[in-house]
Amino acid sequence: MRTPRPAAIGALAVGLLGAAGLIRATVPVAVPAAASSSAPIVVSEAYVRQPTPPTDAAAAYFTITNTTDRADRLDSVVSGAGASTMLHTSGMQMNMAGVTIPAHGRLVLSTGKGHVMIEHLFGVLRPGQSVNFDLSFASAGTITVVAPVIAPGNPAPRIGGGP
């Protein structure tokens, strides 16, 4: 009988944890209604573009609206769909310090104007699935967002009916 090598055991553990993260990432959770006028931060029009192989990364897009009289800062974005997430703002620069959303202002992450990159995906993302994100704000705390996976070439969701 062969004894399993530590590297094989570690790889199995990472694979199981990755599968658990993908399952968490694709199971919708209850989220406060984005249209609630009492919410200090409203996240809308969230979606993830299905990656085209051979990449193991996917881009997520959404709009954040600050409904308060004070600026707030998006400090981090976390998703169970991949090993890491990175906020890329306009100019596609990685933004490690977070980004400030001014009072009564918006941050729009859209094609060519910023995104959240999910890197080292734990599995294949397909249209019809959803990916969960935890957005951590300096003042508003953590907001969980559920974003549908959209096939390449399909239109992005538009909740507010804007351009």
Side-chain angles (χ1 to χ4, degrees):
M1 178 176 195
R2 294 176 49 181
T3 303
R5 295 182 185 176
I9 293 171
L12 178 62
V14 167
L16 290 173
L17 289 173
L22 183 61
I23 290 167
R24 181 199 182 283
T26 60
V27 175
V29 296
V31 178
S36 171
S37 60
S38 64
I41 298 291
V42 177
V43 181
S44 60
E45 302 171 351
Y47 70 99
V48 175
R49 187 62 70 185
Q50 179 188 21
T52 306
T55 187
D56 74 338
Y61 305 95
F62 43 82
T63 297
I64 300 172
T65 304
N66 181 352
T67 66
T68 70
D69 293 329
R70 294 182 15 202
D72 202 347
R73 186 180 66 248
L74 173 61
D75 289 326
S76 66
V77 180
V78 177
S79 175
S84 64
T85 56
M86 284 189 251
L87 176 63
H88 292 222
T89 55
S90 58
M92 300 304 158
Q93 298 178 39
M94 190 169 59
N95 198 327
M96 300 296 272
V99 63
T100 298
I101 297 96
H104 301 287
R106 295 185 333 159
L107 170 66
V108 178
L109 299 177
S110 62
T111 304
K113 296 183 180 177
H115 58 271
V116 171
M117 184 60 66
I118 311 165
E119 296 187 331
H120 309 292
L121 293 170
F122 292 133
V124 177
L125 294 180
R126 293 186 175 88
Q129 294 177 322
S130 295
V131 176
N132 295 348
F133 294 92
D134 288 333
L135 283 62
S136 295
F137 293 88
S139 297
T142 301
I143 297 172
T144 299
V145 175
V146 179
V149 177
I150 306 294
N154 282 5
R158 291 285 172 221
I159 294 170

